[in-house]
Amino acid sequence: MKVGIYVRVSTLEQATEGYSIQEQTDKLKKFCDVKEWSVGEVYTDPGFSGSSLKRPGMQKLINDVEQQKIDAVLVYKLDRLSRSQKDTLYLIEDIFLKYNVHFVSLNENFDTSTPFGRASIGMMSVFAQLEREQITERMQMGKVGRAKAGYFHGGGVIPHGYIYSDGQLIADEKESKIINYIYDQYLSGWGVQSIAKQLNEKHITAKRAVKWSHKVILEILCNNLYIGKIKWKNETYDGLHAPIISDDKFYKAQELMAKRKTMAVKVNQQPFKSKYMLTGICYCAVCGARMFTIKSYSTKNRKYIRKYGCYSQSSVEHMIKDPNCDNDKYDGLELESYVLQRIKKLSMNPKTLNRISESKKAIVSPAGTKSQIKDTEEQIERLLDLYQNGAITYTKIEKRIEELNAQKDSLNEQLKKLESEKLNKSSSDKILKVLSNATDVIESKDYDAQKRLTHALIQKVTLKHDKVTIKWNF
């Protein structure tokens, strides 16, 4: 019998339990000599956890089993294979037994070629899983204990402003100044995105060499670690590390953040109200920036003239896309009049109206497809129940489950399409209603009504020198 030997060890186990790769391999090879089995290949995973099957040695073993290159798999101990009950049973039942490959564990004296061995494997997998969960629990308890004692947990990314040495956080002088600068800028009225942009433009870097972003700045402003606190599992404890920010500065930042959030919610709850017709939907096609309205006094006409100009040519720093943008400025009344005439022409075009009307034809109700998906899921559940109750082997239902899952995926795609069509139908109804009143609105000279008409029908207007491009909402 040709045997594949599998050995795995983590750094901790190698140091404390004596499960080194070489020790396991030697013992397993001697066992094969006694049994007069030939060793095909030794599959090793040094330093890999048993909680996942994503290990190079394990993946090669699975591939060789499927290629029927070996007749049996031998391990030193059951938990070398996996510490997960689910993964252990998957390997034994769906990989090894499926391809008529025996599984033998030296330490537990298990052999799946016998009925007793197969039954014992299931029981031992339960205890292996229990052991892993107990280890995880002990680690969590240890981290809670560290937090209560005022120590940083030490895992993950070390926060900006500190270095981690000998189990403790130590304030970094250079980065502490950056943290204070961020708080000072925020309290002076700067926004989170503007602070990040400023730091990047000034090439102010931290030890992690990450690009400053909205997320990074916000995390710094919200982290009470900077006033000497330790947070773990939604509980806060007094830390042993030195604070970087004063309590007063930190809590003022929290108050300002809450105030800005409340204001943002109020603004977002209000419908968009632009002062001018194309505000919010008009863009520069040269650099991609928004267009805004400019008022300038004409000495020739002795009155103010309103124009649309590119934000890149303004002094609003955060709106500039390209300071070298050379797009033109456009007479506001002429541009708006042109857009309204395009809308009027469109509303009187039979081909356009027919196309929109065609898109709102009756569609199949998604309810029937949802019912089919539910039936398919119930079929899969019934097959899995039979398998779990021992009434049928997984090999016998595997192909049918694959077919049902493929059918379910197909039905879900069909459902998405139907729901999208239903949404488009509703949108088409609204567009046709707006177009039916377009001429009256345009001729009414009601500027607010014309603004609403324009925003209902147009998604985007782009301007590039003498070219005006309109992207419609349908």
Side-chain angles (χ1 to χ4, degrees):
M1 185 165 67
K2 195 173 183 180
V3 178
I5 291 176
Y6 178 77
V7 289
R8 179 187 66 80
V9 70
S10 68
T11 305
L12 178 62
E13 288 164 339
Q14 184 171 347
T16 60
E17 302 293 339
Y19 292 159
S20 71
I21 293 291
Q22 193 58 49
E23 287 175 331
Q24 290 182 59
T25 305
D26 291 343
K27 290 177 182 178
L28 294 173
K29 282 185 175 180
K30 289 176 183 177
F31 182 76
C32 288
D33 290 340
V34 172
K35 291 284 190 177
E36 296 183 347
W37 296 341
S38 63
V39 177
E41 187 167 346
V42 178
Y43 306 88
T44 61
D45 277 320
F48 283 86
S49 168
S51 60
S52 169
L53 296 181
K54 293 180 180 179
R55 303 168 239 151
M58 174 56 70
Q59 292 302 310
K60 189 173 189 306
L61 170 65
I62 292 173
N63 182 67
D64 286 355
V65 168
E66 292 173 344
Q67 297 295 320
Q68 297 184 318
K69 293 182 178 180
I70 53 178
D71 303 308
V73 175
L74 175 64
V75 298
Y76 176 69
K77 193 177 179 182
L78 181 62
D79 63 8
R80 300 303 87 201
L81 190 69
S82 173
R83 288 189 178 274
S84 163
Q85 177 187 7
K86 177 183 175 183
D87 289 345
T88 300
L89 294 178
Y90 164 75
L91 287 171
I92 294 172
E93 295 184 351
D94 299 337
I95 302 295
F96 302 157
L97 296 183
K98 179 180 178 180
Y99 292 96
N100 298 315
V101 173
H102 301 308
F103 171 68
V104 181
S105 175
L106 175 62
N107 196 65
E108 292 88 1
N109 195 26
F110 284 161
D111 185 345
T112 59
S113 63
T114 67
F116 179 77
R118 285 192 291 272
S120 300
I121 285 293
M123 290 185 289
M124 287 303 299
S125 294
V126 173
F127 289 105
Q129 177 77 3
L130 176 63
E131 181 183 357
R132 179 169 173 263
E133 290 173 355
Q134 287 177 330
I135 291 172
T136 301
E137 184 179 355
R138 287 196 296 270
M139 289 176 65
Q140 292 298 321
M141 289 177 64
K143 289 182 177 180
V144 171
R146 281 184 59 83
K148 286 182 177 180
Y151 291 97
F152 181 65
H153 57 77
V157 179
I158 306 305
H160 286 288
Y162 290 95
I163 58 175
Y164 189 67
S165 177
D166 296 328
Q168 295 190 48
L169 288 176
I170 300 172
D172 180 273
E173 185 178 354
K174 178 187 174 183
E175 290 198 5
S176 294
K177 293 178 181 178
I178 299 174
I179 301 300
N180 270 283
Y181 176 80
I182 290 170
Y183 273 83
D184 291 340
Q185 292 296 93
Y186 186 75
L187 290 173
S188 67
W190 283 68
V192 173
Q193 189 65 46
S194 298
I195 295 172
K197 182 180 179 181
Q198 187 185 48
L199 288 171
N200 288 324
E201 287 177 348
K202 291 184 176 181
H203 303 291
I204 298 175
T205 58
K207 62 177 177 292
R208 301 211 306 260
V210 296
K211 185 177 180 180
W212 297 102
S213 66
H214 181 281
K215 181 182 177 183
V216 173
I217 301 298
L218 198 60
E219 286 175 350
I220 289 172
L221 290 171
C222 294
N223 197 344
N224 62 2
L225 180 131
Y226 294 112
I227 56 171
K229 302 294 183 181
I230 293 291
K231 191 173 182 180
W232 180 254
K233 297 293 183 182
N234 296 321
E235 296 290 337
T236 301
Y237 309 97
D238 291 330
L240 296 177
H241 61 284
I244 291 176
I245 301 295
S246 69
D247 286 15
D248 181 61
K249 187 181 290 187
F250 177 80
Y251 289 113
K252 279 183 178 178
Q254 307 317 300
E255 289 175 10
L256 179 57
M257 205 175 300
K259 187 182 295 184
R260 287 183 176 180
K261 187 176 181 181
T262 302
M263 290 173 62
V265 170
K266 287 181 179 179
V267 170
N268 291 333
Q269 286 175 344
Q270 297 174 356
F272 174 74
K273 292 182 179 180
S274 59
K275 186 174 181 180
Y276 298 107
M277 189 180 298
L278 303 181
T279 304
I281 59 173
C282 193
Y283 289 80
C284 172
V286 176
C287 69
R290 282 183 182 271
M291 304 291 282
F292 73 110
T293 54
I294 310 165
K295 279 188 176 181
S296 58
Y297 186 76
S298 171
T299 54
K300 180 180 179 181
N301 299 318
R302 294 187 177 181
K303 64 178 182 179
Y304 281 97
I305 297 176
R306 181 168 54 86
K307 293 186 177 183
Y308 283 91
C310 176
Y311 259 119
S312 286
Q313 299 170 1
S314 74
S315 59
V316 185
E317 188 176 343
H318 69 280
M319 296 293 286
I320 296 173
K321 296 287 186 181
D322 180 3
N324 299 314
C325 179
D326 64 348
N327 205 354
D328 301 325
K329 290 182 175 61
Y330 303 81
D331 185 283
L333 292 176
E334 288 183 6
L335 179 62
E336 291 169 0
S337 177
Y338 171 79
V339 171
L340 288 174
Q341 290 307 309
R342 285 283 302 274
I343 292 174
K344 185 176 180 179
K345 184 178 180 180
L346 189 75
S347 70
M348 300 171 69
N349 188 329
K351 289 184 178 180
T352 301
L353 297 176
N354 286 336
R355 177 170 60 83
I356 299 172
S357 186
E358 283 291 321
S359 68
K360 64 182 280 290
K361 286 183 177 179
I363 59 171
V364 179
S365 170
T369 305
K370 289 179 180 178
S371 178
Q372 291 181 54
I373 292 172
K374 186 178 179 182
D375 289 342
T376 305
E377 290 174 341
E378 288 175 351
Q379 289 184 57
I380 295 172
E381 287 296 324
R382 285 196 292 271
L383 288 172
L384 290 173
D385 286 342
L386 288 172
Y387 165 64
Q388 290 173 357
N389 292 329
I392 192 170
T393 63
Y394 187 77
T395 306
K396 291 183 178 180
I397 65 171
E398 182 180 16
K399 186 176 180 181
R400 180 55 182 158
I401 287 180
E402 287 179 357
E403 292 172 352
L404 288 170
N405 277 321
Q407 179 179 319
K408 180 182 172 184
D409 291 341
S410 176
L411 288 169
N412 277 319
E413 286 299 318
Q414 181 180 325
L415 180 61
K416 287 180 183 178
K417 185 178 179 182
L418 291 175
E419 289 177 337
S420 175
E421 289 174 354
K422 186 176 180 180
L423 183 65
N424 290 336
K425 177 179 180 292
S426 175
S427 177
S428 298
D429 287 336
K430 293 177 182 178
I431 293 294
L432 284 172
K433 186 176 180 180
V434 171
L435 283 172
S436 66
N437 298 316
T439 300
D440 292 339
V441 171
I442 292 169
E443 293 178 353
S444 71
K445 305 300 181 183
D446 184 336
Y447 192 73
D448 286 337
Q450 291 173 351
K451 279 192 296 183
R452 291 192 293 271
L453 173 70
T454 304
H455 283 260
L457 296 174
I458 295 177
Q459 182 180 339
K460 192 176 186 180
V461 176
T462 54
L463 309 175
K464 185 175 183 179
H465 302 303
D466 60 345
K467 186 177 181 181
V468 180
T469 304
I470 298 176
K471 185 175 182 181
W472 304 98
N473 278 328
F474 48 88

